[in-house]
Amino acid sequence: MPVEIKDMTFDKVASGPVSVRVYQGAEYAKGAPVLLYFHGGAFMQSGLTHCPLAECIAGTGAIVAVPNYNEDGSVFPQPLETGFSIFSYLAKKRAGLGDRKSLLLIGGEEAGGNVAAGVALKARDHFADELDGQVLLSPLLDPFMATPSFRKADAIGMRSRWADGWSHYLSGGVCHPYAAPSMCSRLTGLAPALILSSEDDPLLDEGLGYAASLSAAGVKVQQHVLPAGTGWPTIYSGTPNGAGNWAGVVADQFSGFVHNISTA
């Protein structure tokens, strides 16, 4: 499905106006799911740049809003608080996106997946029942960076970038479960989750570990691991190669997830 892209501003977010890039399937149906999607960038990227994963998901007929949630590369808890404020705004107003029948989801890739997971935790703690699901694509969740798969980070030149990113994000001196969801011991009551990764992804073990913890806590989880060689780890560069290999899988997994939670 062709995707239309437009930039807009959410003026009445509690944390202040936020610039947003909206990806919208040109033929989206009434009640199209709305996904608030946080971009990656090792906790340090800000601004609005093209997001191939957001465009891919919008191609399923969804409306995907990618905000500049991390203006000036803020440290925790500011990105999390900004993200939760945007979620709260969409839960009440939808900002003209979708309609009252639309599912409201949050998601993100890499560091954005961390923020999405943190927002889901805060939504649970604040009884925000408007959250229908979370979409975590290779989420960056473990500040200890000690998993076996993480050792592959050097192969794609990301180990030092992620180490610097964690040091920056946690430089406020707080390692709250909202900042490092993999360390959270209370996961019951969270929104259903879709977790995607690939066999050659350095963040694979973090994603699988979090999926297992969610499932053990009674959270509905749909997970999928793409085979090696699909170009998936290059999502971290913002210009993924092999899009024809992974894009169809991501689209199918997202569509299946939306179907499952809408019929549950």
Side-chain angles (χ1 to χ4, degrees):
M1 179 186 298
V3 173
E4 298 175 349
I5 303 174
K6 62 182 178 181
D7 291 344
M8 59 189 298
T9 300
F10 290 170
D11 291 315
K12 298 181 180 179
V13 175
S15 59
V18 179
S19 299
V20 182
R21 180 159 293 172
V22 177
Y23 298 77
Q24 183 171 297
E27 300 173 9
Y28 73 96
K30 185 176 181 180
V34 174
L35 172 63
L36 172 59
Y37 190 87
F38 302 107
H39 62 72
F43 300 112
M44 294 185 284
Q45 179 178 314
S46 60
L48 296 178
T49 59
H50 183 60
C51 183
L53 283 163
E55 183 174 15
C56 172
I57 292 171
T60 68
I63 301 171
V64 185
V66 184
N68 182 20
Y69 69 94
N70 193 29
E71 189 171 3
D72 300 324
S74 302
V75 303
F76 180 83
Q78 188 57 51
L80 182 283
E81 295 299 336
T82 298
F84 186 77
S85 293
I86 301 168
F87 160 71
S88 300
Y89 173 66
L90 287 174
K92 295 177 181 178
K93 303 291 185 181
R94 286 295 196 278
L97 306 178
D99 55 49
R100 59 185 178 182
K101 293 184 179 180
S102 295
L103 294 174
L104 180 56
L105 314 171
I106 57 171
E109 65 200 60
E110 195 234 22
N114 175 296
V115 173
V119 170
L121 286 166
K122 185 164 183 175
R124 186 271 316 271
D125 294 344
H126 285 71
F127 306 101
D129 295 333
E130 299 88 351
L131 181 60
D132 295 303
Q134 49 183 320
V135 179
L136 309 180
L137 307 183
S138 294
L140 185 60
L141 303 169
D142 181 7
F144 294 106
M145 302 179 293
T147 64
S149 69
F150 197 89
R151 296 169 191 157
K152 300 177 182 179
D154 284 340
I156 62 171
M158 290 298 296
R159 178 182 289 273
S160 61
R161 178 167 169 77
W162 282 330
D164 290 345
W166 273 117
S167 179
H168 167 77
Y169 192 53
L170 301 180
S171 62
V174 178
C175 192
H176 191 279
Y178 291 173
S182 66
M183 299 174 63
C184 184
S185 60
R186 191 173 65 88
L187 298 173
T188 57
L190 287 173
L194 169 64
I195 300 179
L196 301 182
S197 186
S198 71
E199 292 177 350
D200 51 352
D201 181 5
L203 302 183
L204 171 62
D205 291 343
E206 295 180 37
L208 293 181
Y210 195 58
S213 296
L214 290 173
S215 294
V219 178
K220 293 181 179 179
V221 176
Q222 176 182 324
Q223 67 181 66
H224 185 81
V225 178
L226 285 78
T230 60
W232 180 260
T234 57
I235 65 171
Y236 306 130
S237 71
T239 54
N241 298 317
N245 295 323
W246 60 256
V249 176
V250 172
D252 289 345
Q253 288 292 318
F254 179 79
S255 295
F257 179 64
V258 168
H259 174 74
N260 290 338
I261 61 178
S262 63
T263 57

